[in-house]
């Protein structure tokens, strides 16, 4: 049941004790990097001031811009000779950041990746098909090393080439997949095109869904379409990549491995911690990183800590499914919303297909939002009345969720663009 029983089921006070000892070390390691050396000097923070975990609040927050401004080597805490691997973020919100790892860093990362996958029930006898991009993006190699360590036969399929993915699954009896949720939905339509049903024509048992925000409804869809369990997997390159927080079989939030990271949730406007259970921005501190320790990193991801213990017996606290990034919030006609709210509604409505796009335009002084959604083929044959009824229903449901009335355009399956990587859901043509 557990990959590392002692650490996974460690009582809270033991975890806290371990975190404090590791935090002191991590801060000391960080203090030799050019960035933190200067930051500590400027702010007067002394690494010896950490007496309890609460003292972490005295350390200034680190942002993505800090990483960008000190690109590429400003955060290094070891000599370059110690480094064995470089990764970079996807650059979803601007210039990508780069992260360097020592051999020990890769080893610790593989360990939490293994622990995460084992937790969901993956075993040596499983066949793991990794459909994430291999390369600078962390999705591919991140779980790859963990799966090999677990002992599963690992197929480094990489992203895209749907027909080949399906062929691999069938030829080698794939049981676990690692896949971007939007791609999982798209891949199902390729199964359909081939006249196949993944429930009958594959041996799939489970999927790890990660790399982009997705709603509970999307998870359920993937589970239903494929006849499998889908586990939410959270990660970001600055903190390693996948394996940081993962769902257990109870699927109620993701256990964040607190022997490797300190978790905080802050109010994104004030930077102050919010009470346990309240929503805010996730802030993480690496505890074991050697090459590039990062302290109090503002992930920009919105979540909350789920209070209370988990039935699985693990003492590492859980974070809620990510509801958005502080920087992908849309403001339309003065109303704030996250793209995921639209996704959640669309995926609840029967007849809606697997792909959608949000278009923002400015006409005169007015903002307009168009939601294009693929719907099932049947709606386009014969009587178009049904299509109009569905369009009205979608418009009403979206209006009730986001409080403005979008234009809704329904299109045939396969007509909206797809990507191999993270889905592009919003095209904003408004000028600043
Ligand atoms: P970028 O920040 O450029 O997208 P990364 O490739 O490092 O670069 O992606 C990390 C980000 O992806 C996270 O900060 C988060 O916004 C998103 N993400 C990763 N996994 C999940 C998940 N399971 N649910 C929601 N968002 C996720
Ligand atoms: Zn659990």
């Amino acid at each position: 049941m557990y990959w590392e029983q002692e650490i996974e089921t460690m009582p809270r006070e033991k975890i806290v004790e371990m975190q404090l000892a590791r935090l002191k070390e991590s801060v000391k390691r960080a203090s030799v990097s050019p960035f933190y050396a200067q930051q500590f000097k400027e702010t007067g923070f002394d690494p010896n001031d950490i007496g309890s975990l609460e003292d972490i609040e005295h350390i200034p927050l680190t942002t993505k811009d800090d990483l960008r401004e000190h690109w590429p080597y400003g955060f290094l805490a070891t000599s370059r000779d110690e480094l064995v691997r470089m990764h970079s973020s996807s650059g979803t919100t601007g210039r990508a950041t780069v992260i360097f790892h020592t051999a020990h860093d890769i080893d610790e990362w593989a360990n939490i990746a293994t622990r995460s996958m084992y937790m969901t029930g993956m075993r040596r006898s499983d066949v793991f098909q990794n459909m994430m991009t291999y390369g600078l993006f962390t999705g591919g190699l991140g779980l790859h090393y963990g799966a090999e360590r677990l002992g599963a036969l690992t197929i480094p399929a990489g992203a895209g080439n749907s027909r080949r993915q399906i062929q691999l699954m069938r030829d080698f009896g794939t049981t676990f997949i690692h896949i971007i949720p939007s791609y999982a939905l798209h891949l199902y339509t390729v199964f359909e095109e081939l006249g196949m049903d993944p429930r009958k024509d594959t041996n799939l048992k489970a999927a790890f869904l990660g790399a982009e925000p997705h709603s509970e409804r999307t998870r359920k869809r993937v589970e239903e379409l494929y006849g499998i369990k889908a586990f939410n997997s959270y990660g970001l390159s600055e903190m390693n990549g996948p394996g940081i927080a993962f769902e257990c079989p109870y699927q109620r939030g993701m256990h964040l491995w607190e022997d490797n990271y300190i978790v905080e949730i802050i109010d994104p406007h004030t930077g102050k911690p919010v009470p346990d259970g309240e929503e805010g921005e996730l802030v993480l501190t690496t505890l074991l990183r050697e090459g590039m320790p990062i302290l109090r990193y503002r992930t920009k991801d919105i979540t909350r800590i789920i209070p209370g213990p988990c039935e699985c017996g693990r003492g590492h606290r859980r974070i809620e499914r990510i509801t958005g990034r502080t920087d992908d919030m849309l403001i339309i006609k003065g109303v704030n919303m996250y793209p995921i709210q639209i996704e959640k509604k669309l995926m609840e409505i029967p007849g809606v297909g697997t792909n959608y796009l949000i278009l923002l335009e400015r006409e005169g002084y007015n903002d307009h939002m168009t939601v294009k959604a693929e719907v099932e083929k049947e709606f386009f044959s014969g009587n178009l009345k049904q299509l109009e009824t569905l369009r009205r229903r979608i418009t009403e449901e979206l209006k009730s969720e986001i409080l403005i009335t979008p234009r809704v355009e329904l299109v045939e399956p396969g007509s909206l663009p797809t990507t191999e990587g993270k889905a592009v859901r919003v095209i904003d043509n408004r000028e600043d």
Side-chain angles (χ1 to χ4, degrees):
M1 207 179 144
Y2 304 106
W3 178 252
E4 293 171 293
Q5 180 154 7
E6 196 187 331
I7 288 197
E8 290 176 53
T9 60
M10 203 172 247
R12 189 88 221 134
E13 52 303 347
K14 272 262 156 76
I15 293 184
V16 169
E17 204 178 290
M18 180 189 243
Q19 283 189 317
L20 179 59
R22 290 184 173 180
L23 177 64
K24 289 179 180 172
E25 290 303 313
S26 189
V27 171
K28 275 191 197 127
R29 278 199 301 274
S31 67
V32 306
S33 76
F35 173 79
Y36 285 112
Q38 192 191 347
Q39 192 200 55
F40 291 176
K41 205 164 109 198
E42 278 170 17
T43 58
F45 171 78
D46 180 347
N48 294 313
D49 287 349
I50 301 276
S52 72
L53 272 191
E54 286 69 49
D55 291 332
I56 195 169
E57 275 187 53
H58 302 309
I59 307 173
L61 295 157
T62 300
T63 64
K64 215 176 181 100
D65 283 337
D66 291 328
L67 289 170
R68 287 178 177 141
E69 280 157 24
H70 296 82
W71 192 90
Y73 296 120
F75 276 75
L76 273 200
T78 57
S79 81
R80 283 198 223 167
D81 293 353
E82 300 290 317
L83 305 176
V84 299
R85 175 97 68 84
M86 171 182 139
H87 274 293
S88 111
S89 67
S90 314
T92 311
T93 57
R95 185 179 183 187
T97 53
V98 287
I99 305 294
F100 299 99
H101 301 272
T102 65
H104 183 255
D105 293 337
I106 295 293
D107 196 48
E108 293 290 356
W109 179 10
N111 190 46
I112 48 177
T114 314
R115 200 195 277 172
S116 301
M117 289 186 277
Y118 194 89
M119 172 166 75
T120 67
M122 190 163 117
R123 296 293 179 269
R124 300 187 65 215
S125 51
D126 280 303
V127 178
F128 173 63
Q129 187 166 327
N130 194 4
M131 298 192 226
M132 293 278 179
T133 305
Y134 277 72
L136 285 172
F137 176 57
T138 57
L141 289 169
L143 288 195
H144 182 102
Y145 275 59
E148 283 188 349
R149 181 172 296 192
L150 193 152
L153 172 62
T154 304
I155 307 178
N161 203 342
S162 304
R163 284 173 188 239
R164 197 184 58 161
Q165 298 283 6
I166 293 171
Q167 188 75 45
L168 286 169
M169 276 183 205
R170 286 167 52 81
D171 288 351
F172 303 102
T174 301
T175 53
F176 277 70
I177 53 176
H178 181 203
I179 189 164
I180 295 184
S182 53
Y183 186 63
L185 294 175
H186 171 69
L187 188 67
Y188 180 78
T189 65
V190 182
F191 270 103
E192 277 186 317
E193 270 167 41
L194 295 171
M196 284 188 224
D197 177 353
R199 280 166 299 210
K200 297 202 197 86
D201 300 319
T202 71
N203 293 340
L204 290 179
K205 294 196 281 200
F208 305 135
L209 300 184
E212 66 184 14
H214 56 291
S215 61
E216 185 61 40
R217 197 53 224 147
T218 293
R219 179 240 290 279
K220 289 264 158 55
R221 266 207 182 196
V222 172
E223 292 192 327
E224 284 157 18
L225 294 174
Y226 287 84
I228 57 174
K229 283 269 168 214
F231 297 97
N232 196 357
S233 152
Y234 171 77
L236 69 164
S237 49
E238 291 85 355
M239 290 290 122
N240 278 355
I244 297 171
F246 230 84
E247 273 183 337
C248 71
Y250 289 91
Q251 295 181 301
R252 274 294 297 120
M254 298 174 277
H255 289 283
L256 200 143
W257 300 122
E258 294 188 89
D259 55 326
N260 276 253
Y261 304 96
I262 289 184
V263 194
E264 296 173 86
I265 306 283
I266 62 163
D267 175 331
H269 304 295
T270 63
K272 295 276 173 257
V274 300
D276 246 21
E278 258 178 45
E279 208 170 64
E281 181 179 344
L282 178 69
V283 168
L284 293 171
T285 296
T286 63
L287 290 176
L288 297 175
R289 274 265 188 87
E290 292 177 344
M292 198 165 158
I294 304 182
L295 310 175
R296 304 196 78 211
Y297 183 65
R298 294 187 67 154
T299 64
K300 297 191 174 182
D301 291 321
I302 305 291
T303 183
R304 68 184 189 103
I305 288 176
I306 300 178
C310 181
E311 285 174 84
C312 74
R314 290 180 180 81
H316 302 249
R317 285 180 299 171
R318 289 163 297 160
I319 55 166
E320 189 72 81
R321 176 180 293 287
I322 307 292
T323 54
R325 289 181 170 204
T326 52
D327 50 8
D328 69 15
M329 191 177 77
L330 304 173
I331 305 180
I332 297 136
K333 299 185 179 172
V335 178
N336 300 353
M337 74 188 76
Y338 288 103
I340 194 109
Q341 291 176 269
I342 291 172
E343 187 214 90
K344 200 176 84 193
K345 269 289 160 216
L346 287 176
M347 293 298 145
E348 274 167 17
I349 303 172
V352 173
T354 51
N355 202 356
Y356 69 95
L357 187 66
I358 302 166
L359 262 171
L360 302 175
E361 267 139 347
R362 181 159 292 164
E363 289 164 18
Y365 292 105
N366 263 331
D367 287 351
H368 285 287
M369 175 185 214
T370 306
V371 176
K372 293 189 177 192
E374 291 183 4
V375 297
E376 285 163 11
K377 249 208 202 96
E378 295 79 77
F379 287 93
F380 293 92
S381 51
N383 189 351
L384 291 181
K385 231 180 171 167
Q386 268 185 315
L387 186 67
E388 180 54 20
T389 312
L390 180 63
R391 197 188 67 77
R392 290 220 178 117
R393 172 164 178 207
I394 294 173
T395 312
E396 281 309 309
E397 299 236 1
L398 289 179
K399 187 181 165 197
S400 72
E401 174 71 30
I402 58 178
L403 309 175
I404 60 165
T405 311
R407 289 175 188 158
V408 174
E409 278 178 31
L410 302 183
V411 297
E412 292 198 47
S415 46
L416 294 176
T418 54
T419 59
E420 287 186 359
K422 299 180 189 229
V424 179
R425 296 302 197 190
V426 181
I427 298 183
D428 195 342
N429 290 328
R430 297 174 296 176
E431 281 157 25
D432 282 335

